[in-house]
Amino acid sequence: MEHAYLFDAIRTPRGKGKKDGSLHSIKAIDLVAGLMQALQQRHQLDTAQIDDVVLGCVTPVGEQGADIAKTAALVAGWDWQVAGVQLNRFCASGLEAVNLAAQKVRSRWEDLVVAGGVESMSRVPMGSDGGAWANDPATSLRTDFMPQGIGADLIASLDGYQREQVDAFALRSQHKAAAVQAAQRFRSIVPVHDQNGVLVLDHDEFIKPLTTMETLAGLKPSFAQLGAQGFDAMALARYPQLQQVLHVHTAGNSSGIVDGAALALIGSLDAGKRQGLQPRARIVSVAVTGSDPAIMLTGPAPAARKALQKAGLNIRDIDLFEVNEAFASVVLRFMAEMGVPEDKVNVNGGAIALGHPLGATGCMLLATLLDELEARQLKRGMVTLCVGGGMGIATIIERV
Amino acid sequence: MISITQQSQRIVITLDSANIQPLDSTWQQALQGLLQQLQQQTAAGTAAALVQINFQSDKLDRHNAQPSALSREQAAACMQQLADYHELLRQLERLPVPTVAVLHGNIGEHAWGLALACHRRYSLGTALIHPRPAAPGLAPCGGVLVRTARLLGLQAALPLLLDGFELDSSIALELGLLHGAASDAPELEQSLLRAASMPRPPLQPWDEKRPLLPGGAVDSAGNLAFLQLAPARLRARADGATAAARAILCALAESLQVDFDTAVRIESRYFCQSAIALNG
């Protein structure tokens, strides 16, 4: 059996996902092509040896459509022998791309794969791709669709997380991210330049270092109105043990809308040797699972258990975790359910502070995790995300 | 360079078109001073109802115009200069009273760019507008491409920007780039009186709440089909797909997909790209 090694993981900075965001003027394809060129230059890669590019992108329409993976490889000037495919597993897409690349290498049917994701949420808004689940009444009625935010508030209601608790978690995310940024420790960042070499963005610009408990407390609950319009009744019918849904999530303790891209270079040891690459980690196991689609966001723990079981490991064998902060309650639930202390989780802050560029996040978290394992000389880490539709995904890596 | 007088409710400015140069710091300083004065003279409570800007004819020497190449190291400074100039034109567009450009004789690209930032444009007698850079090899800058595109739409703007046909008043009026063509001063005066009664605050089309793009949105079926063919058509031209032509096409397509201010940033990038390409 072949092992899949992680040779490198890089990312763009995250730009604010609005028209005043620094990356709003940069097309998604240029975000990816820029990273591809950087990856090639960092390692003097012979791109003809790369079998495939697998890219997550959750809204693959308009300028993010038409298999952006293959198109970006062409724009980046990579050898035309490199194939490319775009995939969509909602928020998990970037990590799914990594996992698929690992599986390709372990199968021995491919040797060297670039995986990652891209999302320009300021240019191609979330939901632009339509889809039956939320937009077709027959589908929605049959599947009891509820928006994610209701799911997050449901978790808080079931587990008893009060507003102050989720806000305090969000504040810690901001403080951690701000500290790391000030110390310039996000080593996987590759600055974005325009076509003339002029710097566009070199840092995550969504972080709000001046956040306080007071500023967070002043934010209105984001999903109370939605709940009042019918989704609360659906939620309570599904979870009759609850008297009410506590609407504790706001813009301040939920993930931010941003632009960004990330890439990881994954391959066999031999493929790496041929390119003169040193592996930084091994992808030990990957897992994906379905979870309750109504509450939608409880997938990380079952996915984590599955990945641990596949690897023959125990939760205590994991030194650091990146658990996507889609909403504060998601991470609080994971830590409680898995018995993981917070000082091992999102030690550099998470998506509440940094933002969640949907298709890219999973690979961004992998890059951040790898950097931190190396910085602390620790051995194993796990990335996990909750996923729309009710899924969870997890990946375990081990430094070599 | 600039003269300014106030005649009752009208502020009259005369500009020497030859001095209008977005990348010249002397011109930018002069324009900034003018705008500061205009902001004071048109503030609430003042009598001003109209700003009339007369563009003096430019002795265009197009055949000897030399393109200015840019190095990659100079690009950042150039982008900043163009961003500063854009901010000045936006100040002009946001004045609380209508601004009217009066065009006569030869009007070069940069004077035309300033005229496009006025709320109304009229020719007086013969006016010959040169909408593209005098120097071959450069894409437009200073908002010319973006404003032209938003006035004409994608398919109408492209040939004008690529080929830079000189426009006389009647053609410019027909295209929608002018609001009127006056043959004499009394006719112009009637147009100015109408302009003075524009609703307040006067808005450029791109500052409307839901601006409509002539010819349809960029992602309409007709425009998408046009964009798919455009690069091939460019390559088939007699001069091929030159660096400037590519820059113009790309800037046009990309600028129409974003908000106005982002669009001008994109235009500036492609201008720099074309100027860098002159280095070979």
Side-chain angles (χ1 to χ4, degrees):
Chain A
M1 182 199 54
E2 186 65 77
H3 285 296
Y5 291 89
L6 182 56
F7 294 104
D8 203 0
I10 57 174
R11 68 173 181 93
T12 68
R14 294 163 169 99
K16 279 191 292 183
K18 295 193 175 169
K19 70 175 191 197
D20 64 340
S22 296
L23 297 183
H24 178 58
S25 62
I26 305 292
K27 297 173 293 191
I29 194 151
D30 288 332
L31 290 178
V32 182
L35 279 184
M36 286 177 157
Q37 287 167 347
L39 193 65
Q40 191 278 324
Q41 283 157 21
R42 277 158 80 98
H43 304 291
Q44 296 303 303
L45 289 176
D46 174 8
T47 57
Q49 301 299 312
I50 296 171
D51 291 298
D52 204 2
V53 175
V54 184
L55 276 193
C57 182
V58 175
T59 318
V61 294
E63 64 179 47
Q64 293 188 153
D67 189 359
I68 193 169
K70 177 59 182 175
T71 320
L74 293 172
V75 169
W78 281 18
D79 194 289
W80 53 257
Q81 293 180 82
V82 183
V85 66
Q86 172 262 324
L87 61 83
N88 181 7
R89 197 190 286 281
F90 295 132
C91 310
S93 297
L95 195 64
E96 176 65 30
V98 167
N99 291 354
L100 191 58
Q103 288 162 21
K104 284 166 174 277
V105 170
R106 279 171 68 98
S107 74
R108 294 182 188 264
W109 284 341
E110 288 174 34
D111 303 313
L112 194 61
V113 180
V114 169
V118 62
E119 207 80 44
S120 176
M121 300 179 78
S122 69
R123 293 177 68 99
V124 186
M126 182 169 57
S128 306
D129 59 329
W133 185 39
N135 301 307
D136 173 47
T139 305
S140 175
L141 284 166
R142 191 148 167 198
T143 60
D144 292 339
F145 166 77
M146 288 195 293
Q148 284 193 354
I150 301 292
D153 285 339
L154 252 183
I155 292 174
S157 306
L158 287 165
D159 293 6
Y161 305 133
Q162 301 299 313
R163 172 70 184 264
E164 201 175 292
Q165 202 172 350
V166 291
D167 279 352
F169 179 85
L171 186 62
R172 293 193 291 277
S173 183
Q174 293 283 0
H175 285 171
K176 284 185 280 189
V180 174
Q181 185 171 83
Q184 297 183 314
R185 284 188 17 241
F186 283 125
R187 292 187 299 123
S188 51
I189 287 181
V190 173
V192 175
H193 294 84
D194 74 11
Q195 68 263 45
N196 306 310
V198 179
L199 179 67
V200 176
L201 186 66
D202 64 0
H203 63 280
D204 297 314
E205 67 179 0
F206 193 76
I207 302 172
K208 297 176 180 63
L210 300 179
T211 303
T212 63
M213 286 298 286
E214 289 69 38
T215 57
L216 288 170
L219 296 172
K220 286 187 201 163
S222 300
F223 309 107
Q225 198 174 0
L226 264 182
Q229 286 171 350
F231 286 115
D232 277 0
M234 281 180 66
L236 294 172
R238 191 86 174 205
Y239 291 90
Q241 67 268 45
L242 290 175
Q243 299 298 311
Q244 65 175 80
V245 178
L246 295 175
H247 291 292
V248 299
H249 286 94
T250 68
N253 55 36
S254 309
S255 57
I257 292 180
V258 293
D259 302 336
L263 293 177
L265 181 59
I266 294 164
S268 65
L269 214 50
D270 282 344
K273 274 187 192 148
R274 287 195 290 273
Q275 295 268 13
L277 300 169
Q278 288 296 319
R280 292 170 67 186
R282 183 171 67 88
I283 295 170
V284 173
S285 70
V286 308
V288 66
T289 182
S291 63
D292 177 355
I295 199 168
M296 207 192 296
L297 306 175
T298 54
R305 281 193 283 268
K306 194 170 170 183
L308 287 165
Q309 187 260 325
K310 292 282 179 190
L313 293 172
N314 189 285
I315 193 75
R316 287 183 298 277
D317 295 321
I318 307 297
D319 299 307
L320 288 176
F321 297 80
E322 286 287 331
V323 183
N324 190 37
E325 293 174 1
F327 303 91
S329 66
V330 169
V331 189
L332 292 173
R333 159 70 75 98
F334 177 84
M335 292 190 294
E337 190 171 339
M338 299 299 290
V340 173
E342 193 172 328
D343 62 6
K344 286 189 173 184
V345 178
N346 301 351
V347 297
N348 295 323
I352 288 172
L354 295 162
H356 173 22
L358 302 179
T361 298
C363 187
M364 286 195 170
L365 296 182
L366 184 78
T368 300
L369 178 71
L370 180 59
D371 286 348
E372 194 61 25
L373 286 172
E374 288 176 345
R376 294 186 184 207
Q377 293 289 294
L378 295 171
K379 188 168 183 183
R380 286 193 201 92
M382 174 189 284
V383 180
T384 181
L385 298 96
C386 58
V387 193
M391 291 185 273
I393 191 169
T395 303
I396 297 175
I397 63 171
E398 182 177 283
R399 281 183 58 230
V400 297
Chain B
M1 200 184 294
I2 301 174
S3 71
I4 177 169
T5 58
Q6 181 143 10
Q7 301 164 6
S8 178
Q9 292 183 315
R10 192 176 300 177
I11 301 168
V12 181
I13 295 156
T14 303
L15 298 178
D16 182 351
S17 300
N19 287 324
I20 300 173
Q21 170 52 264
L23 291 170
D24 181 271
S25 54
T26 306
W27 163 247
Q28 284 207 15
Q29 280 168 17
L31 182 58
Q32 186 162 45
L34 171 65
L35 287 165
Q36 280 167 356
Q37 200 173 342
L38 287 175
Q39 281 155 3
Q40 284 167 9
Q41 287 181 262
T42 59
T46 61
L50 186 82
V51 174
Q52 176 182 340
I53 305 177
N54 298 326
F55 288 80
Q56 283 184 329
S57 184
D58 190 352
K59 285 193 286 270
L60 292 172
D61 190 357
R62 305 184 70 77
H63 297 295
N64 290 335
Q66 290 299 314
S68 298
L70 206 65
S71 69
R72 280 178 75 88
E73 292 71 29
Q74 292 172 312
C78 184
M79 287 292 294
Q80 186 57 57
Q81 280 183 297
L82 289 171
D84 293 342
Y85 191 67
H86 172 62
E87 182 49 39
L88 292 173
L89 294 189
R90 292 300 266 157
Q91 287 179 35
L92 181 66
E93 290 181 315
R94 290 180 188 132
L95 285 175
V97 302
T99 54
V100 179
V102 177
L103 306 158
H104 174 75
N106 279 312
I107 306 296
E109 178 213 2
H110 298 313
W112 176 238
L114 188 59
L116 285 172
C118 294
H119 302 113
R120 290 288 184 269
R121 288 169 293 283
Y122 298 99
S123 62
L124 174 61
T126 308
L128 200 61
I129 297 160
H130 304 267
R132 72 165 286 170
L138 287 177
C141 68
V144 169
L145 182 145
V146 170
R147 289 185 172 88
T148 302
R150 275 153 159 82
L151 285 171
L152 301 187
L154 170 70
Q155 298 189 38
L158 182 61
L160 192 68
L161 293 166
L162 276 181
D163 300 317
F165 300 116
E166 292 164 349
L167 303 172
D168 68 27
S169 322
S170 59
I171 296 174
L173 183 66
E174 202 179 308
L175 285 173
L177 293 171
L178 293 182
H179 297 86
S183 51
D184 53 33
E187 203 177 322
L188 176 67
E189 184 60 24
Q190 292 304 309
S191 299
L192 293 173
L193 287 172
R194 279 195 298 275
S197 63
M198 273 177 75
R200 302 290 197 270
L203 284 180
Q204 293 282 46
W206 36 88
D207 289 327
E208 299 282 352
K209 232 178 189 167
R210 287 191 181 82
L212 287 175
L213 187 65
V218 170
D219 60 355
S220 63
N223 280 335
L224 281 179
F226 178 82
L227 285 175
Q228 284 178 15
L229 278 171
R233 284 186 176 142
L234 207 67
R235 288 190 171 103
R237 287 158 57 94
D239 54 353
T242 63
R246 288 173 187 245
I248 288 168
L249 172 60
C250 295
L252 188 61
E254 291 180 34
S255 67
L256 286 172
Q257 296 179 47
V258 294
D259 61 281
F260 184 77
D261 294 313
T262 305
V264 174
R265 195 173 314 131
I266 291 170
E267 176 199 89
S268 300
R269 283 184 185 144
Y270 277 106
F271 166 77
C272 289
Q273 179 180 300
S274 66
I276 290 169
L278 291 174
N279 278 320

